[in-house]
Amino acid sequence: MLKRLRESKSMQGTFLALPTTLWMFVLLIIPLILTLIVSFGKRSPDGNVIYTFSFDNYARLIGISHTCADGSATCFDPLYINILWRSLTLAFNTTVVVILMAYPLSYFIARAKPAQRNIYLFMVLIPLWTNFVIRVYAWMMLLRKEGAINIIIGWVASLLHLPFTPLEMLYTPGAVLVGMVYEFLPFMILPIYTSLEKIDGSLYEAAADLGANAVRTFLRVTLPLSMPGVVAGTILVFVPVMGTFVVSDLLGGKQVILVGNLIQRQFLDARDPAFGSAASLILMVMTLIVTYFYTRKFGFGEEIVAA
Amino acid sequence: MSSEFAVELRDVVKKFITPEGNELSAVDHVTMQIKNGEFFSMLGSSGCGKTTSLRMIAGFEWPTEGEVFIEGQPMGHIPPFQRKVNTVFQSYALFQHMTVAQNIGFGLEMEGVEKSEIKKRVGRALEMVQLTGMERRQPKQLSGGQQQRVAVARALVKTPSVLLLDEPLGALDLKLRKEMQLELKALQQQLGITFIYVTHDQEEALTMSDRIAVMSKGKVQQLATPVEIYERPTNKFVADFIGESNFLEGVIKEISKDEATVYVPVLNAELKGMPMSPDFVNGEEVAVSMRPEKIRIVEREADGDTLFKAKVLNSVYIGSDTHVYVDMQGARLKVMEQNRISRLDPSSFYSKEQMITLLFMPENTLILKKG
């Protein structure tokens, strides 16, 4: 047995992959199958699941409602479609803002002296040492009506003798966007930095030598060669933003309900696991579709993963 | 052309600050004039200033002092993309996200050349480096030698007045290197463009160059044709760096015109009729330099005049030659003998402790400054 293991590369591979495979099977595949089964079920009056095979939950999600104001049997209710759409646009906006913020910073770090690069990267990573939820709470302190930002603006306004009413920043879509950008920025900086840092300096010189000025060198050489980093970062940001509920819960309140919040409430408040399971699967399918088309166009950024 | 020189370095100094905060002169008052259409090499070991000099011509570095002229025009702080020179990089620096054709066409595209014209010129450039039909390949699909050719084509397609090459063959294996050396030389002769070639490989420099600047510690040690560099090195560094040399200490006893008689203590003999440059004086202590292949082993009795006794310390067979290390009254010399006759009998080779006679021809020796 041992001898065979020593000689067979494929057996070694199986052995090495075994723990993770088991883990994924028990904690991902089986739960997914259970979720799928539950999603076809119905809520029982006491908040349990009645196992049936009905598409009612999915119908509800795409807007087919049976509790209509005008008394008819079915009507269109865009409530959940709106939530899904809001999640998608927020994830998109977050990703775009994060790219626009992360790219220049990554570029700056990648072109700094090697000794300084590590310091900068360290600074990027420091916030991750604090718990995710606590960091979101910190933003609440900053954004609320009596928060730090309003105090400072108020103080400046009073110095300039300008009238000032505190800004309503908390519990707005903007607050959720700010929170999301803040939380996920490092996950974009690191892959972009890695891909920029890998670009051989002589390529910039070659471009200059062949007649390209700084702008054209950036557009024709730097940007295309750093795209793997942007792609990897996009996946690392877009996918979790689609699913998180903590940021929108704390910074958006009841104003900004995302699909993550919807799912959370089905399980904890509304006690409708069947509907929650259907929403989870819809979220997963939506994320997969977006990532599928995205990666088909740009690749997985596997060059980064391989680095 | 407004100048007889393609490139001129006038008293150029380049200082760098080392990480420890010291000032280092990578290039130290270098003056060179590179003629139009010349294959010019800068030869030296790493840190001698050859690459920094090349980078200053390309415009990647600017001189701390002095001036670089291209076609008679002072370059000042003109950036690389405005200079009529192009570079072939040591690492090739090919754009991996572009095809071969896009790589070669990049420079023309930057000039705003029309697409159809770019295609034509890229085709011609590929033909020139014998890569026709490779347009659509990715650089990483090519062998090292092919990538090298793409890099050369990419630089040459811009029809620069000077092509700068920074150790372009460094990453290739020996056989391919030798092929590429001859190919590059042929290409240079065919195009008539000035090539400035940086290398640490003396054989490469001797093979390809019209003239060579031997550099060390940021200074030009000697600037001359390959034959002059090898046969008439002007100082001990060059004599030692290019090829191999045996050095014996000596004292000038007599000077007549351009010949000298030198007393060599280890031989306890005066060597007569040695060629000499005019800047030596009678009684000066000098180094007598002899190339290993120019000392002959003869089957005659030593006469203390041109024939001297020596004891074999070691003999190394390397195929084409045999290297014989000998001791002459405490002085160790290396002698090279070509294996002109095929033989297998080991007893016919020199054995340790064997006494042999060496022939020193005065015209094959050189008198150099001692330093």
Side-chain angles (χ1 to χ4, degrees):
Chain A
M1 176 70 189
L2 261 177
K3 186 167 181 285
R4 270 189 59 203
L5 179 63
R6 218 176 290 138
E7 283 165 4
S8 158
K9 277 265 184 296
S10 71
M11 249 177 94
Q12 289 169 7
T14 311
F15 254 76
L16 290 170
L18 198 60
T20 313
T21 312
L22 272 178
W23 182 266
M24 294 298 267
F25 185 76
V26 173
L27 295 172
L28 183 73
I29 306 294
I30 294 179
L32 264 180
I33 293 168
L34 292 178
T35 310
L36 187 69
I37 294 169
V38 171
S39 75
F40 293 121
K42 271 197 176 107
R43 178 184 191 275
S44 74
D46 57 353
N48 276 324
V49 183
I50 302 167
Y51 293 95
T52 56
F53 188 76
S54 106
F55 287 94
D56 284 358
N57 291 321
Y58 293 99
R60 215 173 127 194
L61 279 165
I62 60 167
I64 298 166
S65 168
H66 296 293
T67 51
C68 302
D70 60 357
S72 51
T74 54
C75 53
F76 180 70
D77 179 0
L79 174 67
Y80 302 115
I81 294 273
N82 283 345
I83 292 177
L84 288 170
W85 179 248
R86 191 183 297 136
S87 302
L88 202 63
T89 48
L90 179 81
F92 179 79
N93 292 341
T94 305
T95 309
V96 170
V97 174
V98 164
I99 291 175
L100 291 178
M101 288 177 72
Y103 200 101
L105 182 69
S106 308
Y107 189 81
F108 166 76
I109 298 175
R111 305 213 74 177
K113 288 191 185 120
Q116 286 169 357
R117 279 183 221 158
N118 287 336
I119 298 171
Y120 294 137
L121 286 177
F122 184 67
M123 283 159 69
V124 167
L125 291 175
I126 281 181
L128 298 181
W129 294 4
T130 312
N131 182 281
F132 186 87
V133 181
I134 292 173
R135 279 180 286 147
V136 182
Y137 262 105
W139 273 104
M140 286 178 79
M141 299 298 119
L142 290 172
L143 293 173
R144 75 205 161 107
K145 220 167 176 177
E146 314 77 26
I149 294 173
N150 271 326
I151 290 174
I152 292 169
I153 299 176
W155 179 68
V156 173
S158 72
L159 281 182
L160 300 169
H161 304 289
L162 291 171
F164 175 71
T165 43
L167 301 168
E168 298 279 357
M169 288 179 290
L170 198 55
Y171 308 129
T172 61
V176 178
L177 182 67
V178 166
M180 292 284 195
V181 167
Y182 170 75
E183 292 293 348
F184 291 100
L185 195 56
F187 300 100
M188 187 66 80
I189 293 173
L190 295 179
I192 296 181
Y193 162 77
T194 310
S195 64
L196 283 172
E197 193 259 344
K198 273 188 359 190
I199 300 175
D200 179 3
S202 65
L203 291 180
Y204 301 124
E205 292 187 343
D209 188 71
L210 294 167
N213 59 25
V215 175
R216 299 179 94 178
T217 302
F218 178 78
L219 292 177
R220 293 295 310 277
V221 178
T222 318
L223 194 57
L225 285 173
S226 62
M227 272 316 280
V230 177
V231 172
T234 300
I235 295 169
L236 288 178
V237 171
F238 184 87
V239 174
V241 170
M242 278 293 284
T244 44
F245 56 88
V246 176
V247 177
S248 49
D249 206 31
L250 295 178
L251 300 180
K254 289 197 171 55
Q255 305 300 312
V256 189
I257 294 170
L258 302 178
V259 59
N261 306 94
L262 175 70
I263 296 165
Q264 180 214 15
R265 278 172 204 186
Q266 296 314 310
F267 284 95
L268 298 181
D269 303 336
R271 296 190 133 264
D272 190 349
F275 186 58
S277 298
S280 305
L281 289 171
I282 287 278
L283 166 65
M284 203 178 85
V285 169
M286 249 169 60
T287 313
L288 278 177
I289 290 172
V290 173
T291 346
Y292 173 76
F293 283 108
Y294 182 70
T295 51
R296 229 176 49 154
K297 186 149 170 50
F298 296 108
F300 275 102
E302 56 267 52
E303 296 90 336
I304 286 296
V305 179
Chain B
M1 303 231 173
S2 48
S3 167
E4 65 171 305
F5 300 121
V7 174
E8 196 181 349
L9 271 65
R10 234 178 257 170
D11 209 19
V12 168
V13 177
K14 179 66 188 180
K15 287 179 180 157
F16 288 113
I17 306 294
T18 63
E20 295 84 45
N22 303 318
E23 204 178 62
L24 177 89
S25 292
V27 174
D28 193 0
H29 297 280
V30 163
T31 296
M32 293 194 264
Q33 288 155 340
I34 296 146
K35 294 177 206 153
N36 281 313
E38 183 173 40
F39 198 120
F40 187 91
S41 290
M42 294 191 248
L43 173 63
S45 43
S46 66
C48 73
K50 58 190 192 298
T51 296
T52 307
S53 301
L54 194 80
R55 290 172 61 81
M56 284 192 285
I57 300 169
F60 301 132
E61 313 273 359
W62 292 321
T64 316
E65 289 169 36
E67 185 72 273
V68 174
F69 296 81
I70 296 175
E71 293 187 320
Q73 300 299 312
M75 284 296 114
H77 286 192
I78 293 174
F81 56 88
Q82 287 167 3
R83 297 186 183 206
K84 275 292 290 169
V85 300
N86 285 110
T87 308
V88 176
F89 292 86
Q90 185 170 13
S91 58
Y92 313 145
L94 297 180
F95 304 125
Q96 298 294 338
H97 59 296
M98 298 182 195
T99 62
V100 166
Q102 285 169 332
N103 263 284
I104 298 173
F106 184 84
L108 298 175
E109 203 186 310
M110 293 300 123
E111 282 177 30
V113 176
E114 256 181 74
K115 272 207 169 129
S116 57
E117 174 71 12
I118 292 181
K119 207 176 161 207
K120 232 190 292 170
R121 283 170 69 180
V122 167
R124 249 183 285 148
L126 278 170
E127 201 178 315
M128 192 168 64
V129 295
Q130 297 159 40
L131 284 179
T132 309
M134 298 279 193
E135 281 92 343
R136 301 175 70 86
R137 298 277 188 94
Q138 298 285 325
K140 59 182 149 221
Q141 294 174 304
L142 304 180
S143 69
Q146 288 172 325
Q147 290 187 34
Q148 162 68 64
R149 287 159 202 254
V150 174
V152 171
R154 186 177 67 175
L156 283 178
V157 80
K158 302 253 306 174
T159 57
S161 55
V162 180
L163 186 71
L164 309 174
L165 302 103
D166 184 8
E167 307 228 16
L169 307 181
L172 304 180
D173 61 66
L174 187 67
K175 209 167 155 108
L176 195 55
R177 265 181 98 112
K178 302 219 161 178
E179 274 174 42
M180 286 298 295
Q181 284 170 13
L182 298 175
E183 231 171 84
L184 279 176
K185 175 74 184 167
L187 196 60
Q188 187 264 339
Q189 282 169 340
Q190 178 198 329
L191 296 171
I193 294 176
T194 311
F195 274 37
I196 304 181
Y197 194 99
V198 159
T199 181
H200 66 271
D201 182 333
Q202 44 164 303
E203 199 180 312
E204 196 164 286
L206 293 171
T207 307
M208 305 168 82
S209 316
D210 295 318
R211 285 194 306 155
I212 300 172
V214 180
M215 296 182 70
S216 168
K217 292 178 185 159
K219 288 191 162 73
V220 176
Q221 298 292 333
Q222 187 172 359
L223 200 166
T225 62
V227 175
E228 282 175 278
I229 294 268
Y230 190 81
E231 301 295 345
R232 294 289 179 268
T234 49
N235 61 40
K236 226 175 136 178
F237 175 84
V238 176
D240 200 29
F241 185 73
I242 309 293
E244 287 175 86
S245 282
N246 295 300
F247 295 109
L248 296 175
E249 286 179 13
V251 183
I252 297 184
K253 283 286 163 205
E254 201 186 314
I255 294 179
S256 60
K257 278 200 251 167
D258 52 356
E259 284 185 357
T261 301
V262 176
Y263 175 73
V264 180
V266 291
L267 303 178
N268 192 22
E270 287 183 351
L271 298 174
K272 293 187 188 74
M274 297 177 71
M276 182 203 74
S277 57
D279 50 346
F280 290 94
V281 293
N282 216 338
E284 189 173 342
E285 291 191 9
V286 293
V288 176
S289 156
M290 275 170 288
R291 297 283 189 198
E293 78 278 8
K294 294 194 163 92
I295 303 173
R296 283 177 55 199
I297 300 171
V298 290
E299 289 183 2
R300 274 147 71 181
E301 278 301 307
D303 62 1
D305 188 13
T306 55
L307 295 162
F308 299 94
K309 249 196 178 52
K311 187 169 75 185
V312 175
L313 292 172
N314 200 1
S315 165
V316 183
Y317 172 80
I318 63 151
S320 59
D321 302 276
T322 300
H323 295 179
V324 187
Y325 297 88
V326 301
D327 178 286
M328 280 173 67
Q329 287 124 56
R332 290 181 173 210
L333 300 185
K334 182 177 181 181
V335 180
M336 264 188 232
E337 195 170 51
Q338 259 199 338
N339 297 326
R340 289 174 179 279
I341 299 161
S342 181
R343 54 191 170 185
L344 277 175
D345 177 12
S347 68
S348 67
F349 298 120
Y350 303 102
S351 54
K352 280 181 192 174
E353 306 289 318
Q354 184 186 342
M355 295 305 290
I356 55 174
T357 306
L358 303 179
L359 171 62
F360 292 159
M361 302 296 283
E363 62 269 31
N364 283 347
T365 61
L366 269 177
I367 301 174
L368 299 171
K369 292 277 181 194
K370 221 183 148 195

